[in-house]
């Protein structure tokens, strides 16, 4: 029995997605830029996929661009905000993905811009007061990059509130929606945002493909220069199989959203209930966070350091909330931001509708052997 | 009967590549950055693919990076040459891919660098004398970007000679090897080059994946900032299926290189022979060019403008050497550079080992109905 509880990191492909891609790989090999039949077939598949994705997020077709991953989108938008839209301050939360703060730090180094980090409380909730003050002080010189749902502890931010604050002060609003696309409804007509990013492999689609929503009044120079693909926003022959696989995955995620949510919520709740059988367990993050993420804090002790290692040996794939560099294991920046006590060990279990209650029970029984149990 | 003679534009996937990718899509879905079994399996597949590619071009493993396409690689290297390696002049040939000169033009606009375009003769051969003089005048301030084999007319450049000229004068040498990877042997120990790019879909691999060879003494800031994948050169979760599909395709291209070359050369030669049955046909490019590319110049006349349209209707996918914008059809920059006469119509037929002599015969018979025939 091998258990995969690392669905916030990446997901298996849906059989329907594999089938879609497999079929395309066998028959649809034209270059979408070619005007002959082979090319037109490829073009038609890609544009159908674009329409599917635009519909799901309620965008217009012209606002959806295909990228190779969300990291590409995040890098692109933040860089262009500074280099082409005159933004001199990047405001982001203390629990953003590496991709956001590494890009911001790079832009600070190269262009001398300012960065402002908005703190979160011990559950990971954003300090909206600090954000508001920062926005009032920086106004139209700012670009805000705040995520929808956090990848480590699952806390969900109030996008409408953030958007309102941004608009009131003239800031650009970029949102990392990687953990929430396909999990929560996202409507770009309801939340006024300049750019969001999706990554197919987080919602049971293929790796190596993502999409960018870019509000239609924003005009930027291309991500890559060349053959003028993606309406000259991103040159390079399109990844047909990836694009169509992503659209299939997103369409299914949208159709099955509430059904999957119910199933995963039950699995997570069962996990939380059974964690009571272990000694001194705490849950990191907020109770009303993302339904597929459960970040568990285990007590300090000689067994704690080996939890990840032992889980893997026992056939359970989960994720550590820590980064090991040069032998010293440190809590991630997210855990540090919420004040997770040093010595305790955080493990993120993240679920999908492919998981079962039996897998949870098995995991709890295994955990009892490697961390202090009450019963 | 549908005939695909557009293999320089993109290629069908080899059945073995589809099989490799299909299998991985079903079982190998971990995140290569995860330390658990699922992650290690993914990591292991990716690193095996890197080794395969490094072996084929005789590079060290640490010099091979995965990108989403060759366009990404070209944009990256030229941009970094200017922004991080202090190069103030980009020297490129008049028949480079769009991707090179659009990137160069963008860098000229943004950074005020100089561009020098090296002319070619009427067959597409580079003017090495002009290149040498340009290099002597610019020295260590230059980066040269000259392709290995041209995508439209198939002319092959002498990489050793170009490399020698670059090294003698302290210029960086970037080479677009997109049309030649998998077709001609490329050995980075034999040709001293700083960067080359491969794109899997040109050698019967998947779209949306490529690789960059970057000489190991060159240190640059990342393509994308984030999770530090690709030894921090390109963040973003790796496209496992694409990477492994590409390695499989390149491995097979390498193993079957001479066999495929023989077959394709015969097909091309048969096409050239049978073209004698048509009136006033000329071949664009050099006789010793790439064996899979045949650029045919048809006589001017009322039928000429409709050749592409008619070929498509007759079930033949080929490529036009012209670009249509706002209703005025103009020869491509490559055809203009070799002085292709206005009015005549150039069509590129590009072959693969999947094509047959029968397909050539059928195409010639069809051509006789849409262009003046002698017999």
């Amino acid at each position: 029995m091998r258990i995969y509880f690392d669905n916030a990191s990446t997901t298996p492909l849906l059989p329907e997605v594999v089938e879609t891609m497999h079929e395309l790989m066998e028959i649809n090999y034209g270059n979408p830029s070619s005007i002959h039949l082979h090319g037109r077939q490829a073009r038609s598949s890609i544009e159908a996929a674009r329409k599917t994705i635009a519909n799901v997020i309620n965008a217009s077709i012209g606002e959806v661009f295909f990228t190779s991953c969300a990291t590409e989108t995040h890098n692109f938008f933040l860089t262009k905000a500074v280099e082409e839209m005159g933004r001199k301050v990047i405001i982001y939360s203390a629990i953003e993905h590496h991709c956001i703060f590494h890009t911001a730090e790079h832009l600070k180094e190269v262009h001398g811009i300012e960065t402002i980090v908005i703190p979160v409380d011990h559950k990971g909730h954003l300090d909206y007061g600090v954000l508001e003050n920062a926005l009032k002080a920086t106004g139209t010189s700012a670009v805000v990059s705040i995520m929808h749902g956090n990848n480590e502890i699952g806390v969900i931010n109030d996008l409408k509130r953030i958007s309102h604050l941004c608009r009131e002060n003239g800031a650009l609003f970029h949102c990392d929606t990687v953990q929430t696309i396909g999990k929560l409804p996202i409507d770009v007509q309801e939340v006024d945002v300049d750019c969001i990013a999706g990554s197919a492999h987080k919602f049971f689609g293929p790796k190596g493909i993502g999409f960018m929503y870019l509000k239609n009044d924003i005009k930027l120079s291309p991500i890559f220069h060349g053959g003028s693909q993606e309406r000259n926003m991103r040159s390079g022959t399109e990844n047909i199989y990836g694009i169509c696989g992503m659209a299939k995955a997103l369409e299914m995620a949208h159709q099955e959203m509430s059904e999957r949510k119910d199933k995963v919520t039950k699995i997570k709740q069962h996990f939380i209930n059974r964690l009571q059988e272990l000694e001194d367990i705490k849950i990191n993050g907020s109770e009303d966070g993302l339904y597929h993420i459960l970040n568990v804090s285990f007590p300090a002790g000689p067994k704690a350091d080996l939890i990840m290692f032992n889980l893997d040996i026992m056939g359970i794939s989960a994720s550590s909330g820590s980064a090991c560099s040069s032998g010293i294991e440190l809590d991630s920046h997210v855990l540090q931001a919420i004040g997770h006590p040093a010595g305790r060990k955080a493990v993120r279990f993240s679920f999908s509708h492919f998981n079962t209650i039996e897998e949870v029970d098995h995991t709890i029984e295994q955990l009892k052997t490697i961390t202090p149990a009450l019963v």
Side-chain angles (χ1 to χ4, degrees), chain A:
Chain A
M1 190 186 209
R2 184 81 208 178
I3 297 174
Y4 188 69
F5 279 162
D6 200 13
N7 291 282
S9 172
T10 191
T11 52
L13 280 90
L14 292 169
E16 294 85 347
V17 170
V18 175
E19 199 187 318
T20 297
M21 292 176 70
H22 189 219
E23 198 183 311
L24 285 170
M25 287 194 287
E26 287 190 323
I27 57 162
N28 201 337
Y29 57 83
N31 188 322
S33 298
S34 301
I35 56 169
H36 51 57
L37 180 71
H38 286 94
R40 295 196 306 274
Q41 284 170 338
R43 168 63 51 215
S44 159
S45 298
I46 287 176
E47 296 313 321
R50 196 187 311 277
K51 194 172 176 184
T52 299
I53 289 167
N55 284 346
V56 167
I57 61 169
N58 203 14
S60 72
I61 293 169
E63 293 172 318
V64 174
F65 300 88
F66 298 119
T67 61
S68 69
C69 55
T71 293
E72 178 180 324
T73 305
H74 298 326
N75 273 256
F76 171 73
F77 189 80
L78 292 182
T79 303
K80 295 295 179 181
V82 171
E83 294 182 354
E84 296 183 10
M85 292 187 277
R87 304 295 157 149
K88 299 188 187 319
V89 186
I90 302 180
I91 299 174
Y92 57 97
S93 86
I95 59 171
E96 293 303 305
H97 191 272
H98 281 112
C99 171
I100 304 301
F101 64 82
H102 284 169
T103 304
E105 282 163 7
H106 175 75
L107 290 167
K108 187 178 189 172
E109 195 184 309
V110 173
H111 294 293
I113 57 145
E114 188 190 344
T115 55
I116 299 176
V117 182
I118 310 298
V120 296
D121 68 15
H122 69 288
K123 287 193 176 279
H125 292 124
L126 192 72
D127 191 326
Y128 292 91
V130 175
L131 174 63
E132 185 168 7
N133 289 338
L135 281 167
K136 278 183 181 158
T138 54
T140 56
S141 69
V143 51
V144 169
S145 186
I146 292 180
M147 67 202 330
H148 191 187
N150 179 269
N151 52 310
E152 289 193 39
I153 54 172
V155 68
I156 299 172
N157 288 313
D158 183 345
L159 296 196
K160 278 193 191 171
R161 189 169 172 187
I162 297 167
S163 169
H164 185 70
L165 288 172
C166 288
R167 295 315 178 212
E168 217 168 29
N169 294 284
L172 290 170
F173 180 26
H174 165 261
C175 184
D176 171 1
T177 50
V178 167
Q179 280 298 334
T180 50
I181 292 268
K183 302 258 176 6
L184 301 179
I186 292 172
D187 183 330
V188 294
Q189 305 307 319
E190 272 190 26
V191 175
D192 187 10
V193 61
D194 295 299
C195 181
I196 69 172
S199 184
H201 76 96
K202 302 287 190 190
F203 49 84
F204 310 94
K207 292 174 176 62
I209 189 73
F211 70 88
M212 165 169 74
Y213 159 80
L214 188 64
K215 201 176 159 78
N216 58 16
D217 58 357
I218 297 180
K219 303 289 171 240
L220 299 171
S221 75
I223 301 179
F224 303 136
H225 302 268
S228 306
Q229 284 87 349
E230 293 295 287
R231 302 184 301 292
N232 201 30
M233 273 299 283
R234 188 188 194 272
S235 291
T237 301
E238 296 90 337
N239 179 353
I240 307 176
Y241 338 108
I243 289 169
C244 296
M246 171 166 66
K248 181 73 184 170
L250 189 59
E251 190 177 38
M252 289 183 65
H254 195 60
Q255 285 163 352
E256 300 173 4
M257 196 177 277
S258 71
E259 188 187 324
R260 289 186 193 173
K261 181 181 176 181
D262 288 349
K263 181 165 183 199
V264 173
T265 301
K266 275 184 193 130
I267 289 168
K268 178 175 168 178
Q269 192 52 53
H270 185 68
F271 203 118
I272 293 172
N273 295 345
R274 290 221 50 194
L275 279 172
Q276 308 310 316
E277 297 168 28
L278 302 174
E279 202 177 284
D280 188 18
I281 293 294
K282 294 195 170 76
I283 309 289
N284 291 318
S286 170
E287 295 73 21
D288 57 356
L290 286 169
Y291 54 85
H292 67 300
I293 291 177
L294 178 62
N295 195 303
V296 182
S297 174
F298 291 92
K303 286 177 170 180
D305 292 339
L306 292 171
I307 288 184
M308 291 309 303
F309 180 73
N310 282 322
L311 279 173
D312 185 37
I313 287 178
M314 290 164 171
I316 299 155
S317 291
S319 175
S320 169
S322 60
C324 178
S325 82
S326 47
I328 303 158
E329 206 166 356
L330 293 170
D331 270 355
S332 75
H333 67 287
V334 175
L335 293 169
Q336 288 180 26
I338 61 168
H340 183 250
R344 292 186 66 93
K345 178 74 189 170
V347 179
R348 180 188 67 184
F349 299 92
S350 50
F351 312 105
S352 84
H353 56 288
F354 291 122
N355 291 127
T356 63
I357 294 289
E358 290 68 36
E359 288 177 332
V360 173
D361 287 334
H362 181 79
T363 301
I364 296 289
E365 293 307 323
Q366 297 296 321
L367 279 171
K368 284 181 181 174
T369 69
I370 52 173
T371 189
L374 288 173
V375 284

